[in-house]
């Protein structure tokens, strides 16, 4: 016979306190070692006596169907997942506010854009596009940059990306694009990667994708942090004034910390070292009060100005260079609160470009027009019915009322007998607001034939791709060439590689040659057929990433490798200087318990060497005694630590005792490798990557 085991730790250790009314569980508190807790109940409010054992017919006997507590708990668990987003499944979000610093009253009636100083609550979600919800944070991928503004006139969703253009011109191609980049259907891999045959097969058959592909192969798609990337609304929108006059607008987000990307090798290693690298970075920065911030900018232009652009601004594969229409900064966004619950907020937030407020309107960009349909449709399947707007994260923070009723998961209990309009039976039913309600721009299009034709003004697929490449610095051009070689080297079908090269010839002949060389292609294929001959547009330095890097350590992290015998004074001098710059220090030691510094004090570690590679830091210091330096020179994790920091172009401060380890890691002297006593020199070097080092250690195409 089975021995009777105490059913529940909380039951055996606790004393149940009955509230005075004794009719429900609400007043019941259990006193446990941890303090007072509300009573554990079923979803029907029935107090649970034992949360450790299911109800069985007899000792070692079968479980009874009658156990409604077990069935409720397991059933709820079985239904805990909802379909993940078909794109942008992997994402991290946070609450904050938008503050208008410059009024656009002249152009728009939108309250959030007209009262300088006004703060509007926001929820922002950043995402990768291709990977599943459980995929890693650092693949090469476009990042989503979606912001829900809870304005006083309803919710406005600006659902953008971290690059200003898109792969396709017409919404009808979106399922094809996404199918091509996601896992291949027969084999179910690769996860979160564009480096495979189906993506490049599709792309190389879509000349319109070439401009965005250039961006995708640039370091923009391997950002260092979500706090260090730009955001773009991509499409043109309209601002409408009180008379209904329209001004076109493109929206921009600019990170306060400047732009920064990882090196490709670093991004790959980060995927293993910390799959949640960017989510953790966002979480930790908010938790410690170092609130991520972006400036909000607009490019404003009239219809007549748009007519004179050398491209069609309604084509989402084109951008408007800042040199042509400057970006005016009109506000800022600060993210200052992590969600209480990831699922309830970040997972259930439902963005929709069709959520727009009076004073803003859509343009006729055919991609935007398709999106206006897609997002509501996807939420119906993802969140299960038409009442998802009642989920707290999606509900407007201003009053909202209409006569829509019922449906799955209706949470509201409307009163009265009237659920139609017009009506006369109930005085408090909602009515139209003719003066302040949402109005569309009164467009009077000259009617052409109903057709499925692309406008001729969308036909130039190469000029802006060429402009982008020519506008990059040498380092960035080399990285783009490298990314093409890397991605195409993963493509098994030689014809697809050649077809891609045939497009690159229109963008830049030298780029095509470099990529061909990197792939081992001896003879370039003929250039692809171009409907419109590519033109040379003026170089636009604003398109550079490195140019937008700020020489700052703010928001960055410096890793210090220590071991027994490390000089305490050296650690504290460095820590002081790094923290004074607004950066953090993390101590890494062979053991998590830390190291016994010279003089005897133990310095606890933030990470153990084996699990805390240098890819997690922006700059590093190796502060070791001679004995420790020599011992660690034969420890692979330590050798990799310094080799990678050097290879990823980071500043390295070192104590003389670290020499043997630096030698083992192939670290050679350059302007970014500094004596730890030169604290000022190290801080200056740590504010940027050591670009001059790159050609000495990596063969770039
Ligand atoms: Fe999306 N996109 N998209 N997209 N998109 C979705 O909506 C879609 C496009 C973007 O953090 C889906 O709620 C179509 C451009 C972001 O929750 C879906 C087309 C841009 C997010 C959808 C596009 C975006 C999405 C999937 C071509 C940048 C994540 C889940 C017409 C301007 C939002 C969801 C979040 C999400 C459709 C193109 C950005 C399926 C049909 C262009 C940031 O509705």
């Amino acid at each position: 016979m089975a021995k009777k085991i105490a059913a529940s730790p909380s039951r055996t250790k606790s004393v149940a306190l009955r509230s005075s009314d004794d009719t429900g569980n609400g007043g019941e508190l259990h006193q446990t070692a941890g303090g007072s807790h509300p009573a554990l109940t079923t979803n029907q409010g029935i107090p649970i006596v034992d949360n450790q054992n299911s109800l069985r017919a007899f000792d070692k006997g079968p479980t009874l169907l009658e156990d409604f507590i077990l069935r409720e708990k397991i059933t709820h668990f079985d239904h805990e997942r909802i379909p993940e987003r078909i794109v942008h499944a992997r994402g991290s979000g946070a609450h904050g506010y938008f503050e208008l610093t410059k009024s656009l009253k002249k152009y728009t009636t939108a309250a959030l854009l007209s009262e300088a100083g006004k703060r509007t609550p926001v929820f922002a979600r950043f995402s990768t596009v291709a990977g599943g919800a459980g995929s890693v944070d650092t693949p090469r991928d476009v990042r989503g940059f979606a912001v829900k503004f809870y304005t006083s006139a309803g919710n406005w969703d600006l659902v953008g990306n971290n690059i200003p253009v898109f792969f396709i011109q017409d919404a009808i191609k979106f399922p094809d694009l996404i199918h091509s980049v996601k896992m291949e259907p027969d084999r179910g891999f690769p996860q979160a990667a564009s480096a495979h045959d189906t993506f490049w097969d599709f792309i190389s058959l879509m000349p319109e994708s070439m401009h965005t592909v250039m961006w995708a192969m640039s370091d923009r798609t391997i950002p260092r942090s979500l706090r260090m990337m730009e955001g773009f609304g991509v499409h043109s929108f309209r601002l409408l004034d009180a008379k209904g006059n329209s001004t076109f607008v493109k929206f921009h987000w600019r990170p306060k910390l400047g732009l920064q990307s990882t090196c490709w090798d670093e991004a790959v290693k980060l995927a293993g070292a910390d799959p949640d690298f960017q989510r953790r970075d966002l979480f930790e920065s908010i938790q410690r009060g170092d609130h991520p911030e972006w400036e909000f900018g607009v490019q404003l232009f009239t219809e007549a100005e748009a007519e004179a652009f050398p491209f069609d601004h309604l084509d989402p594969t084109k951008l408007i260079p800042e040199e042509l229409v400057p970006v005016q900064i009109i506000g800022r966004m600060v993210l200052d609160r992590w969600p209480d619950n990831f699922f309830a907020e970040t997972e259930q937030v439902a963005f929709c470009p069709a959520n727009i407020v009076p004073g803003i309107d859509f343009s006729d960009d055919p991609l935007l027009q398709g999106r206006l349909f897609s997002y509501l449709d996807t939420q119906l399947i993802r969140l299960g019915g038409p009442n998802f707007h009642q989920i707290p994260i999606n509900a407007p923070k201003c009053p909202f009322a209409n006569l829509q009723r019922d449906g799955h998961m209706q949470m509201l209990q409307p009163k009265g007998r009237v659920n139609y309009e017009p009506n006369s039976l109930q005085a408090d039913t909602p009515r139209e607001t003719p003066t302040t309600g949402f109005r569309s721009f009164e467009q009077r299009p000259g009617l052409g034939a109903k057709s499925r034709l692309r406008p001729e003004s969308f036909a130039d697929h190469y000029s802006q791709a060429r402009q982008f490449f020519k506008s990059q610095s040498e380092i960035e051009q080399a990285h783009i060439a490298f990314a093409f070689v890397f991605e195409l080297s993963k493509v098994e079908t030689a014809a697809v590689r050649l077809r891609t090269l045939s497009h690159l010839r229109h963008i830049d002949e030298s780029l095509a040659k470099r990529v061909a060389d990197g792939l081992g292609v001896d003879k370039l294929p003929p250039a692809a057929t171009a409907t419109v001959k590519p033109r040379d547009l003026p170089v636009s330095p604003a398109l550079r990433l490195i140019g937008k890097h700020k020489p700052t350590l703010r928001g960055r992290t410096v890793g210090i490798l220590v071991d027994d015998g490390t000089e305490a004074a050296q650690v504290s001098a460095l820590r002081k200087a790094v923290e004074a710059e607004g950066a953090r220090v993390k101590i890494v030691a062979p053991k998590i318990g830390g190291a016994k510094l010279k003089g005897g004090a133990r310095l606890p570690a933030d990470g153990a060497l084996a699990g805390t590679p240098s890819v997690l830091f922006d700059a590093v210091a190796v502060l070791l005694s001679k004995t420790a330096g020599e011992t660690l020179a034969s420890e692979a994790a330590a050798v990799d630590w310094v080799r990678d920091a050097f290879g990823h172009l980071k500043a390295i401060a070192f104590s003389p005792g670290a020499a043997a380890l630096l030698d083992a890691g192939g670290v050679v002297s350059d302007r970014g490798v500094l004596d730890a006593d030169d604290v000022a020199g190290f801080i200056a070097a740590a504010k940027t990557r050591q670009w001059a080092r790159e050609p000495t250690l990596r063969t770039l195409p």
Side-chain angles (χ1 to χ4, degrees):
M1 172 142 174
K3 199 170 157 220
K4 194 95 182 152
I5 297 177
S8 149
S10 67
R11 199 152 58 107
T12 48
K13 284 195 205 126
S14 69
V15 184
L17 298 179
R18 273 275 156 211
S19 70
S20 50
D21 67 8
D22 216 11
T23 50
N25 62 76
E28 184 154 349
L29 289 178
H30 284 238
Q31 215 101 63
T32 64
S36 299
H37 303 280
L40 183 72
T41 73
T42 68
N43 287 332
Q44 303 303 320
I46 295 151
I48 294 174
V49 73
D50 179 351
N51 192 32
Q52 319 302 322
N53 299 291
S54 44
L55 186 65
R56 303 176 75 179
F58 47 87
D59 291 344
K60 290 190 175 178
T63 304
L64 294 176
L65 192 58
E66 170 193 324
D67 189 352
F68 66 94
I69 295 174
L70 171 73
R71 279 190 291 113
E72 180 197 84
K73 185 173 176 183
I74 300 274
T75 306
H76 195 278
F77 172 76
D78 291 345
H79 294 251
E80 267 177 15
R81 289 285 83 82
I82 57 175
E84 67 176 33
R85 292 165 173 84
I86 170 65
V87 279
H88 297 266
R90 169 84 188 168
S92 306
H95 295 271
Y97 61 86
F98 168 72
E99 183 179 271
L100 191 71
T101 50
K102 186 179 162 202
S103 170
L104 288 185
K105 208 173 186 159
K106 200 172 140 203
Y107 305 98
T108 176
T109 55
L112 90 156
L113 298 181
S114 28
E115 288 170 42
K118 189 181 171 82
R119 283 191 177 185
T120 302
V122 298
F123 185 80
R125 183 176 180 273
F126 309 101
S127 45
T128 54
V129 179
S135 59
V136 298
D137 274 349
T138 54
R140 176 179 295 282
D141 199 356
V142 176
R143 298 300 189 279
F145 194 124
V147 181
K148 189 180 281 294
F149 298 76
Y150 302 93
T151 89
S152 53
N155 288 353
W156 175 39
D157 293 357
L158 184 57
V159 196
N161 277 342
N162 77 329
I163 63 177
V165 283
F166 202 66
F167 294 96
I168 48 169
Q169 296 177 322
D170 191 308
I172 202 166
K173 296 311 299 167
F174 192 65
D176 299 302
L177 167 72
I178 299 304
H179 284 173
S180 81
V181 73
K182 285 235 168 206
M183 302 179 300
E184 298 193 10
D186 54 350
R187 55 209 70 185
F189 61 82
Q191 173 69 265
S194 53
H196 58 114
D197 284 52
T198 56
F199 177 70
W200 287 98
D201 181 29
F202 175 77
I203 287 295
S204 61
L205 293 166
M206 295 288 289
E208 71 199 58
S209 299
M210 287 306 138
H211 183 200
T212 304
V213 166
M214 295 301 292
W215 284 80
M217 294 302 111
S218 80
D219 292 348
R220 295 256 179 178
T221 48
I222 42 172
R224 147 73 177 87
S225 159
L226 302 170
R227 302 177 289 142
M228 298 171 200
M229 61 184 204
E230 291 185 316
F232 302 88
V234 176
H235 317 281
S236 296
F237 290 85
R238 290 177 186 276
L239 295 181
L240 300 183
D241 69 12
K243 291 189 181 137
N245 297 316
S246 147
T247 307
F248 282 118
V249 58
K250 292 244 188 202
F251 296 108
H252 297 248
W253 295 106
R254 294 266 163 89
K256 265 293 229 246
L257 297 177
L259 268 91
Q260 191 180 322
S261 285
T262 54
C263 300
W264 172 243
D265 182 66
E266 193 183 9
V268 170
K269 289 176 174 159
L270 271 168
D274 186 0
D276 308 300
F277 184 65
Q278 291 178 337
R279 182 176 293 175
R280 189 189 309 278
D281 171 81
L282 189 69
F283 173 79
E284 289 182 351
S285 71
I286 293 175
Q287 297 308 85
R288 67 174 181 270
D290 184 8
H291 297 146
E293 186 172 335
W294 285 261
E295 289 176 336
F296 188 58
V298 288
Q299 284 178 299
L300 299 174
F301 53 99
T302 62
E303 191 117 35
E305 284 165 336
E307 291 294 325
F309 292 160
F311 45 82
D312 195 329
H313 74 105
L314 297 177
D315 170 357
T317 67
K318 306 293 188 296
L319 53 81
I320 305 179
E322 288 177 41
E323 289 78 4
L324 193 59
V325 181
V327 176
Q328 307 177 39
I329 300 302
I330 60 150
R332 67 191 191 112
M333 174 171 76
V334 177
L335 299 180
D336 57 5
R337 186 162 64 86
W338 190 258
D340 292 330
N341 185 274
F342 185 87
F343 179 85
E345 298 166 84
T346 309
E347 194 59 15
Q348 291 199 115
V349 66
F351 290 97
C352 177
N355 292 349
I356 206 158
V357 292
I360 310 179
D361 200 2
F362 314 115
S363 71
D364 290 339
D365 174 337
L367 198 69
L368 173 61
Q369 293 287 322
R371 294 179 74 201
L372 300 182
F373 157 73
S374 174
Y375 289 65
L376 173 57
D377 183 47
T378 210
Q379 308 311 348
L380 291 174
I381 179 78
R382 208 167 68 79
L383 296 169
N387 291 315
F388 64 84
H389 63 283
Q390 297 174 10
I391 299 173
I393 192 69
N394 294 322
K397 296 196 192 296
C398 63
F400 62 102
N402 56 45
L403 298 156
Q404 292 166 25
R405 292 289 184 266
D406 309 342
H408 272 293
M409 297 294 164
Q410 174 58 261
M411 301 291 156
L412 306 176
Q413 282 172 221
K415 294 199 173 88
R417 69 196 289 203
V418 166
N419 56 1
Y420 53 90
E421 197 270 348
N423 63 65
S424 66
L425 300 186
Q426 200 174 316
D428 65 353
T429 57
R431 292 285 194 270
E432 294 155 347
T433 47
T435 48
T436 53
F438 178 82
R439 280 183 188 284
S440 298
F441 175 62
E442 281 188 26
Q443 208 173 343
R444 293 169 206 278
L447 285 183
K450 181 163 142 190
S451 73
R452 289 184 182 272
L453 291 179
R454 287 277 166 102
E456 263 179 46
S457 57
F458 281 29
D460 177 357
H461 301 315
Y462 299 109
S463 300
Q464 281 208 350
R466 175 188 284 208
Q467 179 184 37
F468 177 77
F469 187 70
K470 290 207 187 307
S471 301
Q472 303 301 306
S473 64
E474 249 179 62
I475 301 162
E476 288 163 291
Q477 289 189 340
H479 288 189
I480 291 170
F482 172 84
F484 270 106
V485 172
F486 179 91
E487 296 260 319
L488 293 173
S489 297
K490 296 271 181 185
V491 170
E492 293 160 5
T493 315
V496 171
R497 287 183 229 138
L498 292 179
R499 207 190 296 139
T500 307
L501 287 172
S502 74
H503 293 289
L504 294 187
R505 296 196 67 176
H506 286 306
I507 296 168
D508 187 87
E509 190 68 16
S510 73
L511 171 66
K513 285 206 185 94
R514 284 158 82 171
V515 176
D517 190 41
L519 293 171
V521 170
D522 296 327
K523 193 168 169 286
L524 275 175
T529 315
T531 325
V532 171
K533 203 168 163 282
R535 291 164 295 164
D536 278 317
L537 298 169
V539 161
S540 167
L543 299 178
R544 283 180 203 157
L545 169 67
I546 289 182
K548 288 179 170 171
H549 177 97
K550 288 189 182 165
T552 175
L553 263 189
R554 269 215 90 77
R556 273 69 173 181
T557 311
V558 174
I560 304 184
L561 180 59
V562 299
D563 201 351
D564 292 350
T566 292
E567 300 266 0
Q570 231 167 19
V571 178
S572 47
L574 217 58
R575 185 196 289 274
K576 208 168 136 208
V578 167
E579 289 177 351
E581 294 286 332
R584 283 193 304 166
V585 163
K586 293 250 168 153
I587 301 293
V588 181
K591 294 176 187 162
I592 190 65
K596 260 198 177 156
L597 302 187
K598 196 170 163 192
R602 181 166 279 277
L603 178 67
D606 298 303
L609 177 59
T612 318
S614 64
V615 289
L616 300 171
F617 308 116
D618 297 282
V620 299
V622 192
L623 306 184
L624 300 172
S625 68
K626 190 158 182 292
T627 318
E630 282 166 4
T631 312
L632 289 180
S634 46
E635 164 58 56
V639 176
D640 286 348
W641 211 84
V642 296
R643 190 199 310 280
D644 275 350
F646 189 68
H648 299 148
L649 317 179
K650 292 171 185 171
I652 302 176
F654 66 97
S655 64
L661 176 58
L662 296 190
D663 282 348
V667 176
V668 295
S669 176
D670 69 18
R671 291 173 63 172
V673 180
L674 295 124
D675 195 303
D677 289 337
D678 181 5
V679 175
F682 172 68
I683 296 289
K687 289 180 178 177
T688 178
R689 280 193 200 261
Q690 308 303 307
W691 296 117
R693 189 188 293 158
E694 187 153 50
T696 69
L697 48 75
R698 193 167 292 129
T699 319
L700 289 167

